[in-house]
Amino acid sequence: PRHHRADSSASNRASKRASRRLIVFIVGGMTRGELREAHALSKTLHREVLIGSTSLENPASFVEKLASLSTTVGRQYERVDLSGL
């Protein structure tokens, strides 16, 4: 029936839109620069780019996380017993 074809055509269009969608999720926080890059990528690829993250970082919070990571990684290496090497 004609009604069925209309539904099928609408379904095909929705499927094509969904296949043009690029989803990016960043664990640990993203910066505004990464948001800008996602927007630029969307324009370049002619695709919808959806970006998400656990948090949005500003320069100060980004540096704090880097400092914390350095301290955490340093502590992990202090605990490793290398005397058997």
Side-chain angles (χ1 to χ4, degrees):
R2 188 171 192 198
H3 178 69
H4 179 69
R5 274 190 240 136
D7 288 345
S8 176
S9 177
S11 175
N12 286 340
R13 284 193 306 272
S15 177
K16 285 180 183 179
R17 275 195 309 269
S19 68
R20 308 270 318 146
R21 194 172 288 150
L22 177 63
I23 301 172
V24 178
F25 188 84
I26 301 170
V27 176
M30 70 178 159
T31 64
R32 294 188 188 279
E34 290 161 332
L35 283 170
R36 281 191 302 274
E37 288 300 320
H39 180 72
L41 189 60
S42 176
K43 298 291 184 189
T44 301
L45 297 177
H46 303 289
R47 295 176 72 173
E48 182 179 13
V49 177
L50 303 175
I51 186 167
S53 181
T54 52
S55 62
L56 181 61
E57 302 299 329
N58 60 39
S61 66
F62 180 74
V63 170
E64 285 175 19
K65 281 191 174 183
L66 282 179
S68 171
L69 179 64
S70 174
T71 304
T72 303
V73 171
R75 285 188 197 136
Q76 289 174 349
Y77 287 118
E78 288 172 9
R79 294 183 203 145
V80 175
D81 181 13
L82 301 176
S83 60
L85 296 178

XYZ file of all heavy atoms in Angstrom:
656
model
N 0.821 -1.198 0.000
C 0.000 0.000 0.000
C 0.862 1.256 0.000
O 2.004 1.257 0.427
C -0.817 -0.094 1.271
C -0.622 -1.455 1.829
C 0.527 -2.063 1.130
N 0.265 2.313 -0.445
C 0.974 3.586 -0.539
C 1.417 4.092 0.831
O 2.512 4.626 0.985
C 0.072 4.604 -1.224
C 0.784 5.865 -1.531
C -0.071 6.737 -2.381
N 0.777 7.818 -2.885
C 0.326 8.922 -3.367
N -0.963 9.103 -3.459
N 1.128 9.843 -3.785
N 0.561 3.931 1.826
C 0.879 4.377 3.182
C 2.153 3.684 3.683
O 2.997 4.306 4.302
C -0.303 4.099 4.118
C -0.035 4.478 5.538
N 0.093 5.786 5.921
C 0.147 3.725 6.650
C 0.338 5.836 7.222
N 0.379 4.589 7.675
N 2.295 2.409 3.387
C 3.472 1.658 3.826
C 4.747 2.218 3.205
O 5.758 2.358 3.862
C 3.304 0.174 3.481
C 4.486 -0.647 3.871
N 4.813 -0.876 5.183
C 5.431 -1.271 3.126
C 5.906 -1.597 5.235
N 6.303 -1.865 3.998
N 4.708 2.583 1.921
C 5.880 3.148 1.253
C 6.294 4.473 1.871
O 7.463 4.751 2.002
C 5.608 3.330 -0.243
C 5.894 2.076 -1.004
C 5.849 2.368 -2.479
N 4.804 1.524 -3.008
C 3.885 1.871 -3.866
N 3.862 3.081 -4.357
N 2.991 1.019 -4.284
N 5.338 5.272 2.249
C 5.654 6.564 2.875
C 6.388 6.338 4.190
O 7.356 7.014 4.489
C 4.385 7.368 3.091
N 5.911 5.365 4.965
C 6.587 5.059 6.221
C 7.990 4.530 5.953
O 8.938 4.873 6.641
C 5.800 4.025 7.027
C 4.529 4.605 7.626
O 4.399 5.848 7.668
O 3.682 3.804 8.048
N 8.130 3.700 4.951
C 9.434 3.139 4.616
C 10.397 4.233 4.175
O 11.561 4.244 4.554
C 9.268 2.096 3.504
O 10.522 1.624 3.111
N 9.897 5.179 3.381
C 10.730 6.289 2.913
C 11.171 7.161 4.083
O 12.330 7.553 4.170
C 9.945 7.124 1.897
O 10.706 8.228 1.505
N 10.269 7.438 4.996
C 10.612 8.233 6.178
C 11.631 7.485 7.037
O 12.570 8.083 7.561
C 9.357 8.541 6.992
N 11.465 6.188 7.142
C 12.408 5.376 7.912
C 13.788 5.397 7.263
O 14.799 5.484 7.954
C 11.885 3.939 8.000
O 12.825 3.126 8.633
N 13.843 5.328 5.947
C 15.129 5.378 5.236
C 15.821 6.716 5.452
O 17.029 6.761 5.655
C 14.936 5.127 3.740
C 14.654 3.675 3.446
O 14.945 2.796 4.246
N 14.071 3.416 2.280
N 15.057 7.807 5.414
C 15.649 9.129 5.631
C 16.200 9.243 7.050
O 17.293 9.748 7.261
C 14.627 10.233 5.359
C 14.379 10.488 3.887
C 13.611 11.783 3.662
N 12.365 11.860 4.405
C 11.183 11.414 3.977
N 11.082 10.850 2.788
N 10.105 11.541 4.714
N 15.447 8.750 8.030
C 15.905 8.788 9.418
C 17.155 7.941 9.594
O 18.092 8.332 10.290
C 14.797 8.302 10.357
N 17.191 6.801 8.922
C 18.359 5.920 9.012
C 19.586 6.583 8.397
O 20.688 6.495 8.937
C 18.064 4.599 8.302
O 19.198 3.781 8.322
N 19.411 7.267 7.268
C 20.535 7.962 6.630
C 21.054 9.085 7.514
O 22.255 9.287 7.618
C 20.122 8.516 5.262
C 20.007 7.447 4.213
C 19.600 8.039 2.881
C 19.425 6.939 1.861
N 19.002 7.452 0.561
N 20.145 9.812 8.178
C 20.576 10.880 9.087
C 21.370 10.299 10.245
O 22.407 10.816 10.628
C 19.373 11.665 9.616
C 18.909 12.778 8.712
C 17.970 13.717 9.453
N 16.888 13.040 10.141
C 15.695 12.778 9.620
N 15.416 13.122 8.395
N 14.765 12.163 10.320
N 20.889 9.190 10.796
C 21.572 8.572 11.927
C 22.941 8.063 11.519
O 23.888 8.143 12.284
C 20.729 7.435 12.494
N 23.073 7.550 10.308
C 24.369 7.027 9.878
C 25.356 8.162 9.597
O 26.552 7.933 9.513
C 24.207 6.150 8.636
O 23.824 6.926 7.525
N 24.892 9.363 9.466
C 25.762 10.517 9.245
C 26.202 11.134 10.561
O 26.925 12.103 10.587
C 25.045 11.579 8.403
C 24.451 11.089 7.118
C 25.327 11.142 5.920
N 26.110 12.333 5.806
C 27.329 12.318 5.291
N 27.857 11.214 4.864
N 28.012 13.419 5.189
N 25.770 10.578 11.653
C 26.056 11.130 12.978
C 27.328 10.486 13.545
O 27.489 9.283 13.528
C 24.869 10.832 13.883
C 24.848 11.596 15.158
C 23.539 11.377 15.895
N 22.474 12.084 15.198
C 21.212 11.700 15.178
N 20.828 10.604 15.790
N 20.305 12.414 14.549
N 28.227 11.317 14.051
C 29.458 10.853 14.689
C 29.371 11.214 16.158
O 29.178 12.378 16.503
C 30.672 11.523 14.040
C 32.037 11.210 14.609
C 32.353 9.731 14.450
C 33.094 12.044 13.913
N 29.482 10.209 17.031
C 29.358 10.435 18.471
C 30.725 10.250 19.121
O 31.377 9.232 18.920
C 28.335 9.469 19.089
C 26.964 9.666 18.421
C 28.246 9.666 20.603
C 25.933 8.641 18.807
N 31.152 11.271 19.877
C 32.446 11.256 20.559
C 32.189 11.485 22.044
O 31.492 12.419 22.412
C 33.370 12.376 20.018
C 34.692 12.386 20.763
C 33.569 12.239 18.521
N 32.762 10.622 22.894
C 32.660 10.819 24.342
C 34.065 10.794 24.924
O 34.831 9.860 24.677
C 31.797 9.746 25.006
C 31.526 10.053 26.455
C 30.498 10.901 26.810
C 32.328 9.530 27.451
C 30.258 11.218 28.138
C 32.099 9.837 28.779
C 31.062 10.686 29.123
N 34.406 11.817 25.681
C 35.739 11.953 26.257
C 35.643 11.713 27.761
O 34.954 12.444 28.473
C 36.331 13.342 25.972
C 36.400 13.573 24.468
C 37.704 13.485 26.623
C 36.752 14.982 24.065
N 36.331 10.685 28.227
C 36.362 10.382 29.657
C 37.454 11.236 30.290
O 38.567 11.298 29.800
C 36.646 8.882 29.889
C 36.781 8.581 31.368
C 35.549 8.033 29.259
N 37.126 11.912 31.372
C 38.113 12.703 32.091
C 38.016 14.189 31.845
O 38.754 14.959 32.426
N 37.119 14.602 31.000
C 36.919 16.033 30.771
C 37.386 16.491 29.408
O 38.336 15.961 28.861
N 36.682 17.452 28.872
C 37.057 18.039 27.584
C 37.223 19.537 27.754
O 36.725 20.130 28.697
C 36.023 17.730 26.511
C 34.706 18.429 26.689
S 33.607 18.026 25.334
C 32.048 18.396 26.089
N 37.933 20.122 26.826
C 38.167 21.567 26.853
C 37.324 22.236 25.778
O 36.789 21.589 24.884
C 39.654 21.871 26.595
O 39.986 21.425 25.274
C 40.545 21.186 27.615
N 37.250 23.540 25.852
C 36.523 24.294 24.819
C 37.199 24.138 23.458
O 36.541 24.145 22.435
C 36.404 25.753 25.216
C 35.537 25.962 26.432
C 35.276 27.434 26.712
N 34.612 27.598 27.978
C 33.301 27.440 28.175
N 32.537 27.089 27.183
N 32.782 27.617 29.372
N 38.505 23.959 23.453
C 39.225 23.722 22.204
C 38.759 22.446 21.525
O 38.625 22.389 20.299
N 38.501 21.413 22.310
C 37.991 20.160 21.747
C 36.574 20.337 21.214
O 36.208 19.746 20.191
C 38.069 19.054 22.792
C 39.503 18.648 23.064
C 39.704 17.911 24.365
O 38.923 18.118 25.321
O 40.679 17.131 24.413
N 35.795 21.176 21.877
C 34.461 21.495 21.362
C 34.566 22.192 20.001
O 33.820 21.883 19.068
C 33.703 22.402 22.339
C 33.118 21.750 23.568
C 32.627 22.805 24.548
C 31.992 20.832 23.180
N 35.507 23.141 19.897
C 35.709 23.843 18.617
C 36.131 22.872 17.523
O 35.676 22.965 16.388
C 36.753 24.952 18.770
C 36.235 26.221 19.421
C 37.233 27.367 19.305
N 38.526 27.057 19.903
C 38.838 27.209 21.175
N 37.946 27.695 22.013
N 40.037 26.905 21.620
N 37.016 21.934 17.857
C 37.474 20.951 16.876
C 36.327 20.061 16.417
O 36.240 19.716 15.237
C 38.608 20.101 17.448
C 39.909 20.847 17.581
C 40.423 21.382 16.252
O 40.325 20.670 15.231
O 40.918 22.520 16.243
N 35.442 19.684 17.323
C 34.281 18.877 16.956
C 33.381 19.650 16.002
O 32.869 19.100 15.020
C 33.500 18.453 18.194
N 33.214 20.937 16.258
C 32.400 21.783 15.373
C 33.055 21.878 13.987
O 32.382 21.741 12.960
C 32.230 23.171 15.992
C 31.421 24.104 15.148
N 30.063 23.966 14.997
C 31.782 25.167 14.402
C 29.626 24.915 14.189
N 30.648 25.654 13.821
N 34.364 22.096 13.951
C 35.076 22.182 12.678
C 35.001 20.857 11.923
O 34.818 20.832 10.698
C 36.533 22.584 12.910
N 35.127 19.756 12.652
C 35.038 18.438 12.035
C 33.660 18.214 11.427
O 33.527 17.651 10.339
C 35.344 17.373 13.084
C 35.502 15.942 12.612
C 36.649 15.825 11.625
C 35.721 15.032 13.799
N 32.650 18.686 12.118
C 31.281 18.582 11.613
C 31.142 19.298 10.271
O 30.547 18.772 9.328
C 30.313 19.185 12.632
O 29.006 19.186 12.144
N 31.708 20.480 10.175
C 31.648 21.252 8.925
C 32.453 20.570 7.820
O 32.015 20.492 6.675
C 32.175 22.679 9.138
C 31.374 23.490 10.116
C 30.022 23.813 9.577
C 29.286 24.711 10.553
N 27.908 24.883 10.188
N 33.642 20.054 8.166
C 34.514 19.426 7.173
C 33.918 18.134 6.631
O 33.954 17.890 5.425
C 35.902 19.123 7.800
O 36.467 20.342 8.251
C 36.827 18.473 6.805
N 33.371 17.311 7.519
C 32.839 16.008 7.116
C 31.398 16.062 6.633
O 30.887 15.070 6.123
C 32.920 15.027 8.297
C 34.313 14.691 8.821
C 34.209 13.767 10.022
C 35.158 14.059 7.723
N 30.752 17.211 6.827
C 29.323 17.356 6.509
C 28.509 16.287 7.247
O 27.657 15.623 6.671
C 29.077 17.283 5.001
C 29.855 18.291 4.239
N 29.574 19.632 4.274
C 30.942 18.159 3.437
C 30.437 20.283 3.519
N 31.286 19.410 3.007
N 28.858 16.107 8.517
C 28.174 15.151 9.379
C 27.858 15.832 10.701
O 28.540 16.755 11.110
C 29.059 13.941 9.662
C 29.369 13.116 8.441
C 30.305 12.003 8.752
N 29.620 10.970 9.536
C 30.168 9.811 9.839
N 31.391 9.547 9.449
N 29.504 8.915 10.535
N 26.855 15.324 11.369
C 26.521 15.818 12.692
C 27.495 15.182 13.687
O 27.651 13.960 13.719
C 25.087 15.447 13.050
C 24.646 15.972 14.386
C 23.204 15.596 14.703
O 22.627 14.731 14.015
O 22.669 16.175 15.655
N 28.196 15.996 14.454
C 29.131 15.501 15.463
C 28.566 15.834 16.835
O 28.374 17.000 17.168
C 30.544 16.113 15.291
C 31.469 15.636 16.403
C 31.123 15.769 13.927
N 28.285 14.787 17.610
C 27.803 14.955 18.977
C 28.964 14.652 19.905
O 29.594 13.601 19.784
C 26.650 13.988 19.263
C 25.448 14.087 18.329
C 24.441 12.995 18.659
C 24.808 15.453 18.438
N 29.272 15.574 20.806
C 30.405 15.393 21.705
C 29.926 15.507 23.147
O 29.097 16.355 23.467
C 31.536 16.406 21.397
C 32.787 16.117 22.231
C 31.075 17.831 21.550
C 34.021 16.866 21.779
N 30.423 14.602 23.971
C 30.065 14.617 25.382
C 31.285 14.277 26.214
O 32.297 13.811 25.698
N 31.189 14.510 27.497
C 32.315 14.251 28.377
C 31.845 14.142 29.815
O 30.719 14.524 30.134
C 33.339 15.372 28.260
O 34.443 15.130 29.096
N 32.747 13.666 30.652
C 32.442 13.594 32.079
C 32.446 14.981 32.710
O 31.825 15.185 33.744
C 33.453 12.687 32.798
O 34.776 13.118 32.478
C 33.276 11.239 32.388
N 33.173 15.931 32.093
C 33.186 17.311 32.597
C 33.727 18.246 31.521
O 34.341 17.816 30.562
C 34.054 17.424 33.862
O 35.394 17.090 33.574
N 33.470 19.531 31.705
C 34.009 20.566 30.823
C 35.083 21.301 31.609
O 34.812 21.856 32.671
C 32.911 21.538 30.381
C 33.336 22.661 29.440
C 33.898 22.094 28.142
C 32.151 23.562 29.143
N 36.303 21.257 31.104
C 37.440 21.821 31.824
C 37.769 23.235 31.348
O 37.690 23.522 30.158
C 38.677 20.939 31.628
C 38.508 19.506 32.083
C 38.210 19.369 33.552
O 38.664 20.215 34.349
O 37.509 18.407 33.920
N 38.163 24.072 32.291
C 38.719 25.383 31.948
C 40.234 25.263 32.136
O 40.722 24.234 32.641
C 38.097 26.491 32.802
C 38.329 26.288 34.282
O 39.392 25.858 34.713
N 37.314 26.604 35.078
N 41.011 26.243 31.740
C 42.475 26.106 31.852
C 42.961 25.764 33.267
O 43.831 24.904 33.439
C 42.999 27.468 31.402
C 41.961 27.949 30.434
C 40.654 27.475 31.021
N 42.391 26.384 34.277
C 42.836 26.128 35.652
C 42.533 24.694 36.085
O 43.390 24.009 36.657
C 42.191 27.120 36.615
N 41.325 24.217 35.804
C 40.970 22.854 36.217
C 41.763 21.819 35.424
O 42.113 20.762 35.946
C 39.463 22.610 36.089
O 39.050 22.655 34.742
N 42.071 22.130 34.167
C 42.877 21.225 33.344
C 44.280 21.068 33.936
O 44.784 19.960 34.086
C 42.953 21.750 31.907
C 43.757 20.885 30.987
C 43.257 19.675 30.535
C 45.016 21.282 30.570
C 44.001 18.869 29.684
C 45.765 20.486 29.718
C 45.252 19.273 29.277
N 44.897 22.180 34.325
C 46.243 22.138 34.920
C 46.201 21.401 36.267
O 47.096 20.612 36.572
C 46.819 23.563 35.073
C 48.083 23.553 35.911
C 47.072 24.165 33.706
N 45.147 21.627 37.049
C 45.004 20.912 38.321
C 44.944 19.409 38.099
O 45.579 18.631 38.829
C 43.747 21.374 39.057
C 43.868 22.735 39.699
C 42.548 23.200 40.309
O 41.654 22.354 40.555
O 42.411 24.411 40.529
N 44.176 18.975 37.097
C 44.074 17.540 36.810
C 45.414 16.986 36.343
O 45.785 15.873 36.710
C 42.989 17.269 35.774
C 41.610 17.292 36.359
C 40.587 16.762 35.390
C 39.248 16.662 36.082
N 38.220 16.088 35.239
N 46.138 17.742 35.540
C 47.464 17.294 35.105
C 48.401 17.143 36.299
O 49.139 16.161 36.401
C 48.068 18.273 34.101
C 47.554 18.206 32.680
C 48.235 19.265 31.826
C 47.750 16.836 32.087
N 48.390 18.102 37.202
C 49.250 18.038 38.389
C 48.871 16.838 39.250
O 49.747 16.123 39.754
C 49.139 19.330 39.189
N 47.589 16.599 39.389
C 47.113 15.463 40.179
C 47.540 14.149 39.532
O 47.962 13.213 40.218
C 45.598 15.522 40.292
O 45.100 14.347 40.872
N 47.458 14.069 38.231
C 47.863 12.864 37.507
C 49.348 12.601 37.713
O 49.764 11.476 37.983
C 47.557 13.016 36.017
C 47.953 11.853 35.121
C 47.164 10.604 35.490
C 47.709 12.223 33.675
N 50.153 13.624 37.633
C 51.589 13.492 37.825
C 51.903 12.960 39.216
O 52.736 12.076 39.394
C 52.266 14.848 37.609
O 53.622 14.765 37.930
N 51.221 13.476 40.219
C 51.430 13.045 41.594
C 51.000 11.597 41.774
O 51.702 10.793 42.379
C 50.646 13.950 42.565
O 51.044 15.299 42.350
C 50.887 13.567 44.000
N 49.855 11.234 41.207
C 49.333 9.872 41.319
C 50.254 8.881 40.630
O 50.583 7.842 41.186
C 47.917 9.791 40.711
O 47.084 10.738 41.367
C 47.334 8.407 40.861
N 50.698 9.195 39.429
C 51.587 8.302 38.689
C 52.906 8.163 39.427
O 53.452 7.070 39.548
C 51.802 8.813 37.243
C 52.897 8.021 36.551
C 50.509 8.713 36.459
N 53.427 9.255 39.966
C 54.673 9.209 40.718
C 54.567 8.297 41.929
O 55.475 7.525 42.224
N 53.455 8.345 42.628
C 53.251 7.489 43.803
C 53.212 6.019 43.406
O 53.719 5.164 44.115
C 51.951 7.861 44.514
C 52.041 9.125 45.306
C 50.783 9.326 46.138
N 50.714 10.695 46.569
C 49.629 11.432 46.547
N 48.494 10.930 46.121
N 49.643 12.672 46.955
N 52.612 5.711 42.269
C 52.533 4.322 41.830
C 53.929 3.761 41.576
O 54.227 2.623 41.916
C 51.691 4.205 40.560
C 50.216 4.433 40.815
C 49.408 4.449 39.529
O 49.963 4.483 38.443
N 48.101 4.428 39.652
N 54.811 4.545 40.997
C 56.154 4.070 40.707
C 57.000 3.965 41.964
O 57.905 3.152 42.034
C 56.841 4.954 39.667
C 56.277 4.739 38.286
C 55.649 5.773 37.603
C 56.354 3.509 37.667
C 55.115 5.576 36.346
C 55.820 3.292 36.414
C 55.209 4.332 35.749
O 54.678 4.125 34.507
N 56.705 4.766 42.979
C 57.438 4.686 44.239
C 57.190 3.352 44.921
O 58.059 2.821 45.602
C 57.026 5.820 45.177
C 57.537 7.180 44.753
C 56.945 8.295 45.604
O 56.278 7.994 46.623
O 57.135 9.459 45.243
N 56.015 2.771 44.728
C 55.643 1.517 45.381
C 56.226 0.292 44.683
O 56.217 -0.790 45.226
C 54.126 1.390 45.425
C 53.465 2.420 46.291
C 51.986 2.196 46.344
N 51.320 3.439 46.703
C 50.148 3.821 46.248
N 49.479 3.058 45.416
N 49.632 4.970 46.619
N 56.689 0.417 43.478
C 57.196 -0.721 42.735
C 58.574 -1.108 43.270
O 59.471 -0.284 43.385
C 57.305 -0.375 41.219
C 57.950 -1.531 40.465
C 55.924 -0.055 40.660
N 58.716 -2.388 43.604
C 59.995 -2.892 44.118
C 60.853 -3.338 42.939
O 60.550 -4.331 42.270
C 59.744 -4.066 45.059
C 61.034 -4.619 45.649
O 62.088 -3.949 45.535
O 60.979 -5.712 46.217
N 61.882 -2.593 42.662
C 62.772 -2.896 41.543
C 64.055 -3.589 42.005
O 64.954 -3.806 41.209
C 63.132 -1.591 40.794
C 61.951 -0.809 40.235
C 62.424 0.482 39.616
C 61.190 -1.631 39.212
N 64.125 -3.986 43.268
C 65.369 -4.564 43.795
C 65.671 -5.917 43.153
O 66.841 -6.316 43.084
C 65.273 -4.728 45.315
O 64.193 -5.587 45.638
N 64.690 -6.626 42.662
C 64.913 -7.930 42.044
C 65.376 -7.855 40.605
O 65.669 -8.872 39.980
N 65.494 -6.658 40.065
C 65.899 -6.532 38.658
C 67.367 -6.593 38.471
O 68.263 -6.241 38.962
C 65.349 -5.230 38.056
C 63.838 -5.167 37.982
C 63.413 -3.814 37.412
C 63.282 -6.266 37.096
